[in-house]
Amino acid sequence: MIELRTPAQIEEMRAAGRFVADVVTALAEAADVGVNLLELDALAHQMIRERGAESCYIDYHPSFGASPFGKVLCTSVNDAVLHGLPRDYVLQDGDLLSVDFAASVDGWVSDSAYSLVVGTARPEDLALINTTQRALEAGISAAQPGAKVGDISHAIASVAREAGLRINTQFGGHGVGRTMHGDPHIPNDGRPGRGFTLKPGLVIAIEPWFLHTTDEIFTDADGWTIRSLDGSRGAHMEHTIAITADGPLVLTAREREPVLKGGIAPAQA
């Protein structure tokens, strides 16, 4: 069921958006060579406790998950791109990390994801991250009142195709509200002018994710982590937005971009 929120409810949702944005920024800045993925999950857990928020992940057990998730953060590294279950892994120089975090504050949920490279970055990884970010921005710009879900999907796909990327539509954006996942589904490819009409009060997460050289994926032995079939790396960006009469309102907008460490590796000959 697709639910529309009142202007007053959208104002209430701002607190969850700000909190999720702050956690994503803190995680991105904490990620570095030598940091364990479990340390990042512990940081997110600490911030949840201090805020009096609730995790959307720890007890999450959808049909595609092997068991309740058990952690409060998704950490996907290199060939992992979605639903990365935090594990005892120390980040290495050049790792491409995607963090995905959702939480509930005062009964309202927000959801956001961010990709980065720790240490020395490969130019092709930075290009993939940049394309994914531009696709997110294009999807948000297309989320105008009176437009269709397909307009968002088409805008995302157009950026990806221009960059020569293939697109998987199995996982994508979704409705957000009292729970983390709701209707409508927002695929990362679609036909403009098709699908549900975007109306003021609709709150959705838009989340493009792409892999370097494939759109084929598989689930890791942990029952959660989604990896590329050919071992190529992935990037994932996400914001929660509200459709308003004046256009899209990004609830998870970060007050500042994370201060990242590291440099850029020379291009391969």
Side-chain angles (χ1 to χ4, degrees), residues 88-106:
D88 185 13
Y89 174 80
V90 175
L91 290 168
Q92 306 296 309
D93 185 46
D95 277 347
L96 199 170
L97 170 68
S98 299
V99 294
D100 189 357
F101 179 73
S104 174
V105 175
D106 300 326

Side-chain angles (χ1 to χ4, degrees), residues 14-247:
R14 285 180 182 269
R18 284 194 299 269
F19 173 67
V20 167
D22 288 346
V23 173
V24 169
T25 298
L27 292 167
E29 293 182 341
D32 202 356
V33 176
V35 173
N36 196 300
L37 297 181
L38 296 178
E39 294 179 71
L40 296 178
D41 186 72
L43 172 59
H45 210 154
Q46 176 186 343
M47 294 182 74
I48 288 171
R49 288 193 299 268
E50 290 175 349
R51 180 60 176 81
E54 294 183 10
S55 169
C56 292
Y57 290 165
I58 197 162
D59 296 321
Y60 186 53
H61 190 189
S63 59
F64 58 81
S67 60
F69 192 72
K71 304 294 183 182
V72 300
L73 173 68
C74 292
T75 52
S76 302
V77 181
N78 295 334
D79 65 319
V81 66
L82 297 174
H83 309 158
L85 186 64
R87 57 191 173 93
D88 185 13
Y89 174 80
V90 175
L91 290 168
Q92 306 296 309
D93 185 46
D95 277 347
L96 199 170
L97 170 68
S98 299
V99 294
D100 189 357
F101 179 73
S104 174
V105 175
D106 300 326
W108 294 110
V109 171
S110 268
D111 191 1
S112 186
Y114 187 77
S115 290
L116 62 121
V117 177
V118 298
T120 308
R122 304 177 187 179
E124 60 268 28
D125 287 344
L126 296 180
L128 179 64
I129 291 171
N130 178 263
T131 297
T132 310
Q133 177 63 32
R134 288 190 296 108
L136 174 60
E137 292 168 357
I140 293 171
S141 294
Q144 301 293 332
K148 304 284 188 177
V149 164
D151 296 321
I152 298 175
S153 303
H154 178 72
I156 291 169
S158 295
V159 173
R161 287 203 173 90
E162 183 180 3
L165 299 176
R166 296 165 63 180
I167 304 162
N168 181 296
T169 57
Q170 184 176 348
F171 297 98
H174 49 87
V176 179
R178 294 293 188 182
T179 60
M180 178 170 58
H181 288 149
D183 294 326
H185 175 56
I186 316 289
N188 289 323
D189 192 6
R191 297 175 63 181
R194 298 295 184 94
F196 183 76
T197 299
L198 306 178
K199 303 174 183 178
L202 180 68
V203 180
I204 55 176
I206 299 176
E207 52 177 317
W209 60 276
F210 307 120
L211 299 159
H212 270 303
T213 57
T214 187
D215 59 358
E216 298 185 69
I217 56 176
F218 72 97
T219 303
D220 202 356
D222 64 16
W224 276 100
T225 304
I226 302 295
R227 297 185 181 276
S228 66
L229 192 61
D230 67 357
S232 62
R233 296 182 174 208
H236 178 201
M237 294 286 189
E238 178 182 18
H239 272 313
T240 296
I241 73 164
I243 308 298
T244 76
D246 297 323

